Amino acid sequence: MSTPWTRRSARRSLADDTRGRAELAEWERIAQLLADAATGTAHDPDTDPHVQEELAAEAAAAAAREADLREAQRIAARADELEALREFGTLEQAEPREGDEAVRDELTRRAGSYVQTDVDAWLAHALAAHRGHYADPAAREAAAGLLPPPVLAHAALLAELARLVPDAGPGQLVFAARLTAADPEAAADLAAFLTRATGTTDPAGNQA
């Protein structure tokens, strides 16, 4: 039989570390739970609200980790695909998909934070032309918070130039990329000025 001294010693020993303090607090919680219950009641984890809440939280955290892992794998696979298209020189023909903004970030990370100008140009052209998933106005609106300002400025300028000269081919608009690279803010201001002057919509499909 344990003595008051040994019980106090055990309590002090458990309280010496973080895990021990947590275990001690849990035992005290269970003891209080049983003290408030009918005499002879045994602790049942299946009916203990606190235990069930912890199990639910652990399950939710595990599901979130699994979802994050699947998303990371999807991004990596899509990045591999876009890199292959670049090598074959067919990136411009690819249709953008939902989540390609995160893939752009992954490609930039792989390149040691070097800006992927060809990928940025591809996204800008797709956004301006409403290609792929950018055909959805909601996707274009979301892109404003997912793509960096230079890409958005390039897309806005391309959209206005394409509207002013509908038969202009991509090769005739390469100067837009150079303008955006030299001064993204000026390119954005030019696109906004053209939008206001002509009363057209921006790449996100919003009326000026």
Side-chain angles (χ1 to χ4, degrees):
M1 176 181 294
S2 62
T3 65
W5 182 86
T6 58
R7 288 197 294 271
R8 287 195 299 271
S9 297
R11 285 175 175 267
R12 284 196 297 270
S13 177
L14 282 172
D16 285 341
D17 61 282
T18 302
R19 180 178 177 182
R21 287 192 296 273
E23 291 178 351
L24 179 59
E26 178 63 5
W27 280 115
E28 290 177 341
R29 185 193 69 81
I30 294 173
Q32 184 61 50
L33 184 68
L34 294 177
D36 295 338
T39 303
T41 299
H43 179 251
D44 183 358
D46 291 339
T47 60
D48 186 329
H50 181 75
V51 172
Q52 293 306 308
E53 287 175 4
E54 286 190 337
L55 291 175
E58 290 174 0
R65 289 193 298 270
E66 180 64 23
D68 289 344
L69 177 59
R70 288 196 301 269
E71 177 63 6
Q73 292 172 337
R74 184 198 66 78
I75 290 173
R78 178 62 169 165
D80 291 341
E81 179 183 350
L82 293 185
E83 285 189 327
L85 292 173
R86 291 165 69 179
E87 292 178 3
F88 286 109
T90 57
L91 177 60
E92 293 181 359
Q93 302 171 22
E95 293 290 321
R97 302 175 187 169
E98 182 179 358
D100 276 350
E101 297 87 2
V103 176
R104 174 201 177 272
D105 295 340
E106 169 63 14
L107 289 170
T108 301
R109 185 195 65 77
R110 291 182 182 185
S113 296
Y114 175 76
V115 175
Q116 307 293 285
T117 54
D118 50 354
V119 174
D120 280 1
W122 169 65
L123 286 170
H125 278 274
L127 181 58
H130 300 180
R131 288 174 48 208
H133 84 295
Y134 289 135
D136 181 357
R140 298 196 298 274
E141 184 176 353
L146 298 173
L147 292 172
V151 177
L152 298 173
H154 188 189
L157 187 55
L158 284 173
E160 282 305 307
L161 293 172
R163 190 199 64 80
L164 292 171
V165 187
D167 60 348
Q172 295 176 285
L173 300 177
V174 292
F175 68 88
R178 294 198 297 270
L179 285 175
T180 305
D183 194 333
E185 291 186 6
D189 289 343
L190 175 57
F193 175 80
L194 293 174
T195 299
R196 290 195 301 272
T198 58
T200 57
T201 57
D202 59 25
N206 302 312
Q207 183 70 36

